[in-house]
Amino acid sequence: MNIHHITPKTIIAALAVMAVPAAAFAAPVLTGSATAPRTTSTTAVAIASCPRGWGSLPEANSRMTQAPVTAVRTGRHACYDRIVVDVRGRTPGYDVRYVKNVYTDGAGHLVPLRGGAKLQVVVRAPAYSSTGAATYSPKNARELTNVAGYSTFRQVAYAGTFEGQTTIGLGVRARLPFRVYTLAGPGSNTRLVIDVAHHW
């Protein structure tokens, strides 16, 4: 092959092809599916990209609603574990804080929780309709969701509903920073979301 007949376009194309593998190796590899949160294959990269500025002090909103709680769900993320409380209607207020122990609403019985720290999640919404019918009645009050294998969550337990509010006990690995916020939807429903970080 005569090197004098290689055009500038050929040289540029060859350089572009050689650059692809280097770019591919430089980017972190993502794993997961459409239904599972994505995680990076490099822990250091994941920690560096995690949200900052969360704390461990109580977060509260006094707004009450008669819109009932209908479900409690959990999920995992590269940076935090998440609990979601579904509400059929208006956005609820809340009181989320670390406590020594969580007790049942009304009766005041101790709710045993695994983990090095305990978060009390008070949703300012009932788990029953205006006629008194239960809108959320878990099969196992001590294990609302399966959190085996989670980085931060150790147990999610139901502490009952009383006088227009619903309480959930969340056992976590340690006293770690968290954030609380609400989301609209789907439809006229709303969600209370609590994320607890894997690290400080």
Side-chain angles (χ1 to χ4, degrees):
M1 179 176 176
N2 191 338
I3 195 166
H4 296 292
H5 292 286
I6 297 176
T7 64
K9 287 184 179 179
T10 305
I11 293 171
I12 293 170
L15 290 174
V17 170
M18 289 188 300
V20 170
F25 286 117
V29 178
L30 298 177
T31 60
S33 67
T35 58
R38 292 184 170 187
T39 57
T40 61
S41 61
T42 307
T43 303
V45 173
I47 293 172
S49 63
C50 289
R52 302 288 182 183
W54 302 1
S56 63
L57 296 178
E59 292 196 28
N61 182 309
S62 61
R63 179 178 54 244
M64 298 290 291
T65 180
Q66 292 303 308
V69 171
T70 58
V72 175
R73 302 175 284 124
T74 55
R76 291 182 287 177
H77 188 275
C79 300
Y80 49 82
D81 290 346
R82 169 174 290 177
I83 181 169
V84 178
V85 181
D86 293 316
V87 176
R88 188 191 301 147
R90 187 171 180 260
T91 305
Y94 51 82
D95 187 303
V96 181
R97 64 183 63 219
Y98 281 105
V99 294
K100 185 175 180 180
N101 287 300
V102 174
Y103 297 93
T104 59
D105 281 330
H109 298 306
L110 176 69
V111 178
L113 290 169
R114 297 184 297 274
K118 301 172 180 70
L119 262 177
Q120 176 178 274
V121 177
V122 175
V123 187
R124 301 198 188 281
Y128 48 82
S129 68
S130 58
T131 61
T135 56
Y136 176 63
S137 184
K139 293 179 181 179
N140 184 350
R142 293 189 177 188
E143 307 285 345
L144 298 187
T145 68
N146 181 4
V147 293
Y150 279 51
S151 295
T152 299
F153 290 175
R154 294 294 179 264
Q155 186 178 359
V156 185
Y158 190 53
T161 184
F162 184 71
E163 294 187 342
Q165 68 180 29
T166 302
T167 302
I168 297 162
L170 182 59
V172 296
R173 177 170 50 82
R175 186 178 174 126
L176 292 160
F178 67 90
R179 66 178 175 180
V180 184
Y181 58 99
T182 57
L183 292 172
S188 60
N189 297 333
T190 55
R191 290 161 284 164
L192 174 66
V193 181
I194 301 105
D195 294 332
V196 185
H198 297 329
H199 307 280
W200 275 97

